[in-house]
Amino acid sequence: MKSRVSTDFILLFIAFVWGATFVIVQDTIHTLPPFWYLTFRFSLAAAVLLIFAFRPDHTKFSINWQHHLLAGSILGFFLFAGYALQTLSLFYTTSGKSGFLTGISVALVPFWPNRS
């Protein structure tokens, strides 16, 4: 029973942090324009990713770089579009409404038709 209570507490904490980010982002974009905020956020994430991606001890893989760059670019575009639209929505509506719509979208994911 103790394990169940601790997992519920951790899930509640994660939901609290996730919900708090909407308020933090909304306060931030009233100081910094939304696309400048996203530029800073994605640039910081890319810099951290590059540190881990190009380690000297990293083994070389024989992969098709053109395929991966194309697929990564397409996925990156949609990821950025999602972040951009959600950040812009925080500029025009409340953080509660934006978080509610995002939460509903996440809850609908298991019902997406399986096309495989």
Side-chain angles (χ1 to χ4, degrees), residues 33-99:
F35 283 105
W36 281 104
Y37 167 72
L38 288 174
T39 301
F40 175 73
R41 184 176 181 174
F42 275 78
S43 298
L44 182 65
V48 170
L49 181 64
L50 285 175
I51 291 170
F52 289 105
F54 294 111
R55 295 180 303 189
D57 62 339
H58 196 268
T59 59
K60 301 289 182 193
F61 294 104
S62 59
I63 59 174
N64 183 353
W65 283 101
Q66 290 177 337
H67 171 74
H68 288 330
L69 284 175
L70 177 64
S73 298
I74 292 170
L75 290 173
F77 170 77
F78 285 112
L79 178 66
F80 179 77
Y83 272 106
L85 291 172
Q86 186 173 31
T87 304
L88 283 174
S89 76
L90 282 170
F91 196 72
Y92 295 108
T93 189
T94 65
S95 56
K97 288 179 186 176
S98 182

